[in-house]
Amino acid sequence: MSALEAAIAHHTPLIGTEVGVSNWITIDQKMIDDFAKTTHDEQWIHVDPERAARETPFGGAIAHGFLTLSLASRFAYDCFNLMPGQVMGINYGMNKMRFLMPVRAGSKVRGRFTLLDAKARDATSMLRTNNLTIEIEGEETPALVAEWLGLAIFKD
């Protein structure tokens, strides 16, 4: 049995189950400001906490949705290791993704993964589909939900 076949055999019984919960990460104002500078998205609801407190229902600055989404890779590192024979993992994109709740500056977020599918894409890669929920500590509604695709690449 190849490493790819073994990985698929390992994943198949896990379909529909939670396969990982990451550590919490604090999204502070400095992280928001740095992201704003990097992406050239310096809208005041992100970088002006005083104005955001006065003029929005959020009580202060909120993180960019794409900042929250960008933490998905960090969450995956917390939850998944390379499988035997795997040489790398590649982000393959999203089928679906929705921002459900703004993340206020100072909030903690974490990722929760449920395996939806795992199948061979070709002779050396497995396409793994996970539901990713990014939770906000103390909030019932998550920041976002996404159907995230990843390729696990195996050596020949």
Side-chain angles (χ1 to χ4, degrees):
M1 180 181 291
S2 72
L4 174 60
E5 292 168 329
I8 292 168
H10 171 78
H11 281 78
T12 299
L14 300 175
I15 292 173
T17 66
E18 185 172 274
V19 292
V21 179
S22 75
N23 297 316
W24 291 102
I25 293 177
T26 301
I27 298 182
D28 60 17
Q29 190 61 50
K30 180 181 180 335
M31 183 186 291
I32 294 169
D33 292 343
D34 290 346
F35 188 86
K37 287 179 184 140
T38 298
T39 61
H40 302 276
D41 180 358
E42 298 186 59
Q43 185 182 26
W44 63 268
I45 63 172
H46 306 302
V47 298
D48 188 340
E50 292 79 22
R51 183 176 176 191
R54 282 192 319 271
E55 298 181 28
T56 73
F58 309 127
I62 59 170
H64 306 71
F66 285 123
L67 166 55
T68 304
L69 178 61
S70 74
L71 295 172
S73 294
R74 175 68 251 172
F75 300 144
Y77 281 118
D78 287 349
C79 295
F80 305 110
N81 296 314
L82 290 178
M83 295 167 272
Q86 183 182 358
V87 294
M88 73 179 91
I90 299 173
N91 178 1
Y92 199 62
M94 304 280 174
N95 282 337
K96 303 173 188 175
M97 196 274 305
R98 293 289 183 267
F99 298 108
L100 301 177
M101 177 89 155
V103 177
R104 292 175 180 88
S107 296
K108 291 183 180 181
V109 294
R110 72 176 174 189
R112 185 176 294 274
F113 296 89
T114 300
L115 182 64
L116 299 177
D117 196 19
K119 60 186 172 193
R121 180 172 166 267
D122 56 35
T124 61
S125 65
M126 177 177 70
L127 180 61
R128 184 169 46 193
T129 307
N130 280 293
N131 182 74
L132 166 63
T133 301
I134 298 184
E135 302 173 322
I136 307 166
E137 187 177 52
E139 296 287 348
E140 194 169 311
T141 303
L144 69 86
V145 293
E147 191 173 289
W148 189 16
L149 307 172
L151 284 177
I153 309 298
F154 294 85
K155 60 185 169 193
D156 290 336

